[in-house]
């Protein structure tokens, strides 16, 4: 029954996502940059970060802020120079950390030379780098597919009177992976940067690269978004392509690879990451981050319950055990803030941010920290009107719903306030000073005014801070491999407030008790006898919370809102 999990450094690592534009500006132009990252590496090291994941650094027209790339071989001057990047790699390695880069393989910018060539003529040698199709008989798009931005996935191009495919923004045409020349181009790009010494890749939209090239119409027209996913997710050749990348690129370096596949389950994750299959090392588990999202409209908020979260995490912890590996990815540059959607940023900010840290660090999978979550950065309070938002998806949604469909503006804006990814893109709050210490100039996104209360400098030396709690729970995870590899068991599956689970390994067993609610909760440990000699390792409420000895003796105790406890039990004395 027990499956062996091979130890790997990337399973034991803490990954930290740097969203470059918003991390640290070094030259006062209001945009984060590579020298800014270098200046904060000591901070990341002290936090306990092992792997720095840096968002795309290449030139981009910024229809999708650097995820629409127009030259994969150079560095966007706004972020720095090639020498800066080399320096960053050097400084990361000097601190015994690793650095991975984003690899965007599904699409390019429409300003990439390949696409400029491709659109110029049906006879262009680059024509087949992208998907071009004739109009439907009525002159409309070749199929009824809807992009992630809520518009047709087909854009008409006057020059050659054909449509091209784009899963995302119309300035991000999808690459045609059927074409071996495209695959070779992408391999060449990866070799180029791997030879420079980076330690791996975070691969964007990895499960979208193989499409059903018949492009059939979908019947699933009720869903506003992604209604054709059955034809372009987990496509017929996706595993063949990834195995080819493994053989021709990944296998030649000592690196690790992680993929970002939206909307997959544990069976698919095993196909991508089982070591025998030689594709990717891990995929990001994104299901939990969609817990408050209505399936057919990512802007609609859906209240979530703890049962939902237990079901999701339980499935991933159990079903993938020994078969594959995930990155535990609860927040990102594409998502509202962690403490705002899974915690209580208003009433129990510090408590819930700490609980979420313990939750993240005690799950099976490699923990991913998104920048600023380690100090409990919250959704932005200062984005008010649609003009304050920068993300295209929100603007298109607003236009469609309010201007074209006549929906209630307040209702739509409420959805955007709740869900916008712009919340994650306000600059990191380093201090209570001008622009939060992010920049000496005017930041490209205004700094959240709560930088007065929530900032790195204030939390650095406060032993009770969220930041120091992160440092401590990370330190504990690194010292105790059972928290990485141990078997997961939910010991209180029915409880609607308390999430209590164990992680068991050869040497020790861990008990994690989380009051995942804004109310006090009564707790009695089932099977307390088996944990009688456990030891309290970390507690969110050390001065006013539950009595650990009472818990371990099986008495009923009351947990404070968002109180979290971590116990460890050695199996035998040495
Ligand atoms: Ca800058």
């Amino acid at each position: 029954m027990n499956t062996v999990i091979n130890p790997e450094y990337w399973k034991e690592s803490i990954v930290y996502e740097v969203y470059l534009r918003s991390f640290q500006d070094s030259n006062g132009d209001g945009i984060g940059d590579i020298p800014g990252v270098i200046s904060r590496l000591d901070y990341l090291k002290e936090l306990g970060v092992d792997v720095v994941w840096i968002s795309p650094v290449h030139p981009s027209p910024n229809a999708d802020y650097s995820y629409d790339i127009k030259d994969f071989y150079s560095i966007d001057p706004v972020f720095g120079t090639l020498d800066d990047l080399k320096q960053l790699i050097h400084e990361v390695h000097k601190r015994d950390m690793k650095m991975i880069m984003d690899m965007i393989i599904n699409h390019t910018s429409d300003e990439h030379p390949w696409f400029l060539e491709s659109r110029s003529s049906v006879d262009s040698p680059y024509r087949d780098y992208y998907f071009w199709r004739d109009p439907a008989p009525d002159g409309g798009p070749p199929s009824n597919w809807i992009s992630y931005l809520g518009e047709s996935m087909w854009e008409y191009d006057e020059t050659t009177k054909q449509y091209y495919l784009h899963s995302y923004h119309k300035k991000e045409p999808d690459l045609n992976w059927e074409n071996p020349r495209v695959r070779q181009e992408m391999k060449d790009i990866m070799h180029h940067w791997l030879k420079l010494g980076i330690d791996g890749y975070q691969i964007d939209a990895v499960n979208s690269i193989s499409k059903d090239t018949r492009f059939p119409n979908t019947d699933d027209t009720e869903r506003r978004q992604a209604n054709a996913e059955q034809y372009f997710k987990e496509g017929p050749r996706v595993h063949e392509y990834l195995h080819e990348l493994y053989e021709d690129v990944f296998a030649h370096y000592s690196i690790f690879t992680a993929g970002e596949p939206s909307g997959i389950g544990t069976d698919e994750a095993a196909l991508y990451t089982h070591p025998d299959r030689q594709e990717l090392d891990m995929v990001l588990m994104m299901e939990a981050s969609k817990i408050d999202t209505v399936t057919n409209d990512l802007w609609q908020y859906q209240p979530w319950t703890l049962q939902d979260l237990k079901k999701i995490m339980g499935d991933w912890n159990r079903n993938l055990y020994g078969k594959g590996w995930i990155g535990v990815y609860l927040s990102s540059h594409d998502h509202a803030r962690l403490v705002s959607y899974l915690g209580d940023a208003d009433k129990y900010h510090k408590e819930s941010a700490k609980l979420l840290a313990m939750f993240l660090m005690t799950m099976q999978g490699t923990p991913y920290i998104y920048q600023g979550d380690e100090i409990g950065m919250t959704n932005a309070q200062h984005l008010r009107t649609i003009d304050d938002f920068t993300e295209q998806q929100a603007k298109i949604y607003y236009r469609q719903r309010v201007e074209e469909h006549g929906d209630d503006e307040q209702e739509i804006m409420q959805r955007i306030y709740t869900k916008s990814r712009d919340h994650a893109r306000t600059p990191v709050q380093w201090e209570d000073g001008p622009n939060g210490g992010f920049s000496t100039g005017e930041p490209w996104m205004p700094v959240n005014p709560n930088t007065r209360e929530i900032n790195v400098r204030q939390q650095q030396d406060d032993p009770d801070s969220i930041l120091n709690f992160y440092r401590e729970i990370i330190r504990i995870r690194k010292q105790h491999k059972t928290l990485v590899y141990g078997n997961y068991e939910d010991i209180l599956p029915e409880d609607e407030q308390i999430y209590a689970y164990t992680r068991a390994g050869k040497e020790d067993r861990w008990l994690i008790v989380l009051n995942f609610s804004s109310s006090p909760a009564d707790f009695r440990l089932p099977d307390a006898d088996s944990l009688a000699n456990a030891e309290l390792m970390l507690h969110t409420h050390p001065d006013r919370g539950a009595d650990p000895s009472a818990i371990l003796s099986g008495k009923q105790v009351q947990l404070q809102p968002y109180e979290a406890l971590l116990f460890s039990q050695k199996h035998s004395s040495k």
Side-chain angles (χ1 to χ4, degrees):
M1 162 80 201
N2 269 346
T3 317
V4 176
I5 303 180
N6 296 328
E8 302 279 2
Y9 77 85
W10 41 265
K11 294 179 180 171
E12 299 168 13
S13 290
I14 309 294
V15 181
Y16 186 97
E17 181 186 356
V18 168
Y19 186 69
L20 196 49
R21 294 183 74 81
S22 304
F23 188 69
Q24 175 69 64
D25 178 22
S26 72
N27 61 354
D29 69 353
I31 299 175
D33 46 47
I34 296 168
V37 180
I38 295 172
S39 73
R40 296 295 185 180
L41 288 177
D42 287 337
Y43 166 77
L44 296 181
K45 181 69 184 173
E46 204 181 334
L47 176 59
V49 171
D50 303 291
V51 176
V52 181
W53 159 22
I54 187 164
S55 63
V57 295
H58 309 302
S60 165
N62 290 325
D64 188 16
Y65 290 117
S66 301
Y67 284 81
D68 50 321
I69 292 169
K70 66 176 182 183
D71 176 6
F72 288 92
Y73 288 98
S74 64
I75 309 290
D76 191 331
V78 83
F79 294 139
T81 63
L82 181 60
D83 281 342
D84 291 333
L85 189 82
K86 288 179 177 167
Q87 183 70 15
L88 173 61
I89 296 168
H90 174 73
E91 295 289 335
V92 165
H93 289 167
K94 207 168 87 183
R95 289 165 179 78
D96 200 24
M97 296 191 288
K98 296 183 184 290
M99 192 181 100
I100 60 173
M101 281 169 71
D102 243 301
M103 181 69 201
I104 317 300
I105 63 175
N106 181 67
H107 51 261
T108 68
S109 164
D110 68 341
E111 297 178 33
H112 193 288
W114 300 338
F115 190 75
L116 296 177
E117 265 291 324
S118 181
R119 82 187 321 172
S120 68
S121 150
V122 292
D123 302 320
S124 159
Y126 288 89
R127 186 67 169 180
D128 203 27
Y129 270 43
Y130 300 87
F131 294 107
W132 291 96
R133 291 294 184 275
D134 283 329
D138 68 356
S143 69
N144 63 355
W145 297 11
I146 301 295
S147 80
Y148 286 107
L149 281 81
E151 301 181 305
S152 172
M153 260 167 82
W154 296 100
E155 183 72 11
Y156 185 67
D157 198 60
E158 198 55 57
T159 312
T160 55
K161 311 231 181 298
Q162 281 193 321
Y163 284 85
Y164 67 86
L165 185 79
H166 59 93
S167 308
Y168 296 88
H169 196 277
K170 64 185 175 190
K171 283 182 66 65
E172 297 176 292
D174 281 39
L175 285 163
N176 174 13
W177 275 69
E178 302 279 325
N179 183 345
R181 286 179 61 206
V182 167
R183 304 205 293 277
Q184 191 57 48
E185 298 270 16
M186 300 322 269
K187 292 175 201 168
D188 291 345
I189 291 163
M190 289 195 239
H191 279 300
H192 177 82
W193 295 106
L194 287 165
K195 281 180 186 152
L196 207 71
I198 66 167
D199 302 292
Y201 269 117
Q202 181 72 45
I203 303 176
D204 185 64
V206 75
N207 58 337
S208 298
I209 56 175
S210 167
K211 276 92 175 171
D212 182 336
T213 53
R214 297 168 303 163
F215 301 108
N217 277 329
T218 171
D219 299 333
D220 189 7
T221 49
E222 276 182 28
R223 296 175 57 166
R224 198 186 76 86
Q225 274 161 329
N227 63 353
E229 280 188 332
Q230 56 180 311
Y231 301 116
F232 68 88
K233 287 278 186 74
E234 324 310 320
R237 299 182 68 186
V238 63
H239 295 293
E240 174 196 333
Y241 295 154
L242 288 173
H243 182 64
E244 188 179 316
L245 287 181
Y246 179 91
E247 287 203 310
D248 293 350
V249 183
F250 308 153
H252 299 264
Y253 303 88
S254 172
I255 58 168
F256 85 93
T257 54
E260 187 229 294
S262 62
I264 66 165
T266 52
D267 289 348
E268 290 87 6
L271 293 178
Y272 287 108
T273 63
H274 193 292
D276 293 349
R277 294 179 53 86
Q278 301 185 322
E279 294 184 20
L280 300 170
D281 292 319
M282 63 170 120
V283 288
L284 301 186
M285 189 283 290
M286 307 172 78
E287 194 178 350
S289 71
K290 296 184 164 51
I291 195 168
D292 62 353
T293 299
V294 177
T295 316
N296 60 1
D297 183 350
L298 69 83
W299 291 100
Q300 278 200 56
Y301 176 79
Q302 159 176 279
W304 59 275
T305 67
L306 188 57
Q307 298 283 333
D308 300 333
L309 188 65
K310 289 177 178 180
K311 168 83 172 66
I312 293 170
M313 301 313 294
D315 282 352
W316 283 96
N317 276 282
R318 281 186 294 265
N319 300 350
L320 201 60
Y321 190 75
K323 298 179 191 160
W325 197 257
I326 55 168
V328 183
Y329 188 66
L330 302 174
S331 55
S332 73
H333 65 281
D334 276 338
H335 201 283
R337 279 286 173 183
L338 177 62
V339 70
S340 297
Y341 89 96
L342 272 188
D344 182 341
D346 297 326
K347 272 171 71 185
Y348 296 102
H349 174 253
K350 186 192 278 190
E351 292 86 350
S352 61
K354 288 182 180 179
L355 174 140
L356 289 166
M358 192 184 289
F359 172 61
L360 174 63
M361 295 299 161
T362 54
M363 280 287 142
Q364 185 185 299
T366 300
Y368 274 62
I369 300 174
Y370 179 65
Q371 66 185 30
D373 282 345
E374 75 278 14
I375 56 167
M377 278 180 64
T378 68
N379 279 356
Q381 304 162 329
H382 55 299
L383 304 176
R384 286 282 160 238
T385 72
I386 190 64
D387 294 331
D388 295 334
F389 288 84
T390 68
E391 65 153 313
Q392 291 299 317
Q393 213 157 343
K395 290 179 182 297
I396 290 171
Y397 187 65
Y398 182 90
R399 194 190 70 220
Q400 289 180 338
R401 302 309 308 185
V402 178
E403 294 170 9
E404 293 167 16
H405 202 257
D407 286 1
D408 179 56
E409 204 233 353
Q410 272 194 323
E411 160 82 26
I412 297 303
M413 280 313 298
Q414 187 55 44
R415 290 180 188 175
I416 293 174
Y417 295 140
T418 308
K419 309 279 275 193
S420 176
R421 64 192 72 197
D422 276 350
H423 292 304
R425 299 176 179 192
T426 64
V428 171
Q429 295 162 206
W430 296 104
E431 58 187 48
D432 169 18
N435 300 322
F438 164 71
S439 174
T440 55
E442 187 179 347
W444 76 281
M445 283 270 283
V447 176
N448 193 327
N450 70 12
T451 192
R452 284 188 293 272
E453 299 91 40
I454 301 171
N455 63 70
V456 169
R457 178 170 292 173
Q458 174 257 324
Q459 292 192 22
Q460 288 269 24
D461 303 319
D462 172 5
D464 189 41
S465 67
I466 299 164
L467 177 60
N468 278 310
F469 193 86
Y470 264 88
R471 288 171 175 163
E472 187 61 14
I473 185 71
I474 289 171
R475 193 186 60 77
I476 293 172
R477 181 183 172 100
K478 288 187 178 185
Q479 284 179 351
H480 302 279
K481 299 289 183 273
T482 298
L483 289 173
V484 179
Y485 300 112
N487 207 349
Y488 163 94
E489 187 187 357
D490 184 348
I491 60 169
L492 220 56
E494 303 301 323
D495 199 289
E496 288 169 6
Q497 280 180 282
I498 295 171
Y499 195 171
Y501 48 96
T502 55
R503 304 287 311 276
K506 276 202 207 80
E507 288 167 8
D508 51 5
R509 183 174 171 219
W510 292 72
L511 167 68
I512 300 97
V513 182
L514 314 171
N515 177 6
F516 234 111
S517 81
S518 303
S519 314
D522 289 330
F523 173 67
R524 187 194 298 274
L525 178 63
D527 191 23
D529 288 352
S530 75
L531 281 152
N533 62 341
E535 187 187 344
L536 181 70
M537 302 296 285
L538 194 60
H539 192 174
T540 49
H541 295 55
D543 301 326
R544 57 198 163 88
D547 173 8
S549 62
I551 286 178
L552 295 174
S553 60
K555 294 199 183 81
Q556 177 163 304
V557 295
Q558 190 175 64
L559 301 181
Q560 300 297 306
Y562 293 103
E563 183 171 353
L565 299 112
L566 177 70
F567 296 94
S568 153
Q569 179 197 42
K570 292 245 183 310
H571 281 330
S572 58
S573 50
K574 285 181 184 167

